Amino acid sequence: DEIGAMLPYSPLHHLLLEEFGAPLVATSANITGEPVLTDNAEVEARLGRVADAFLHHDRPIARPADDPVVRVILGKARPLRLGRGNAPLEIDLPFALPRPVLALGGHLKNTVALGWQRRAVVSPHLGDMDAPRSLALLKQVATDLQALYGVHAEALACDAHPGYATTRLAASWGLPVTKVFHHHAHASALAGEFPRRTPCLVFTWDGTGYGEDGTVWGGEALLGRPGHWRRVASLRPFSLPGGERAAREPWRCAQSLCWETGRTWQECPEESALLHSAWENGLNCPRTSSAGRLFDAAAAFLGLAHRTTFEAQAPMALEAACRGEGEAIALPLSESRGVWVSDWEPLLARLQDAGASVAERAALFHVSLARAIVDQARAVRAAHGVSCIGLAGGVFQNRVLCENVARLAECEGFSLFVPERIPCNDAGLSFGQLIEIGAST
């Protein structure tokens, strides 16, 4: 439900639009998840079924450069993706690195970061690391950055997930490798932007990330500072039937929440019977605390998305459906082994209440999770005295959620900080890995 503005980076854009005289749909010349295509022949071969015509140039493109994306959240334009015009992004480090380090980031929305002495450089958006072209571009950009700045990496950093392509790539390069937990990197990226705000409590909410206990995290709150994070809050875990397929089929998440709580869902797809058997036996049903998958489930309950074709489609539809501030439901909060856990179960009845509009239920979901964040922060403050809250992770690209957190946090006397230069999503992991390593040495 939003209008975006694309700023022309070439006079050619102006000339084309002026001559055409009608609206145009503009998108990058790439296959979904892959880097932008730059070779004329390859573009025509791979996109010939998509485009009606091609406008080429007689100068070759040295390296692909995707468009940056920003979104206004809490009154500031915050980056969702670094690209042409604002990357490579140079940032001063709050410490001096003992040796040059190349951080390879995660798996989705990848960037790499080169750090040496008190400097860090974050690359433009590279794409998802599922395709060979993406890994080839990562290697090219890593080489180019080192050549451009005259710095040769003597060590590598990567995500702790053993299955990531970047993790395997790091192991093949013959340099010392430090593995950084996914959500530690999220928290450290934010702390690296605001080094004077530590120690702090950082909520690292996203889709999925490899946790310290080997499970799938995604709804964590970490207390401390780079190199010294510990989990102090989370969300009630549930299963992901079908594993990664649940991210593209939100109905699986909704169904799982019902099975976890003994509820029924009237819009249950036909294949649920077989899936329920797998869920009962724990077959390909990893446990997770993911806030992102809760958003998927809520969108499915509201009939906004049962299946999706691109990442975060369901949460985006859920956010767009919000109208008004909504009435917050208090989610039960309990402590287990030093970790405060919020229980999402009371949300299910309200999300399935057909007597309320979709807009009302969407708003209720957002403000209830915002209240859960502040309730967790209050519990942690009572035990540890921290009064500074940070928001990191892809879930906080959601403006409605962030604005609700900001409003409730201010009422409770918390100071709040959100990324301003580094994307809060996985594009910020490479920078966070540098901060985490530097603080640990």
Side-chain angles (χ1 to χ4, degrees), residues 104 220 274:
L104 302 185
E220 277 40 67
L274 180 60

Side-chain angles (χ1 to χ4, degrees), residues 101-105 111-115 155-158 429-431 433-434 437:
V101 178
L102 179 68
L104 302 185
T111 63
V112 297
L114 178 65
L156 300 173
C158 67
L429 290 176
S430 60
F431 177 66
Q433 290 166 356
L434 284 183
I437 283 184

Side-chain angles (χ1 to χ4, degrees), residues 177-234:
V177 177
T178 300
K179 294 182 179 180
V180 179
F181 284 107
H182 191 94
H183 295 92
H184 292 192
H186 272 314
S188 288
L190 182 61
E193 269 203 70
F194 302 94
R196 297 182 181 180
R197 297 285 191 100
T198 56
C200 59
L201 176 65
V202 182
F203 288 86
T204 56
W205 283 19
D206 58 7
T208 57
Y210 189 73
E212 292 178 78
D213 57 1
T215 64
V216 181
W217 284 12
E220 277 40 67
L222 305 180
L223 177 65
R225 61 185 186 275
H228 302 279
W229 298 111
R230 66 186 181 100
R231 181 167 69 156
V232 292
S234 186

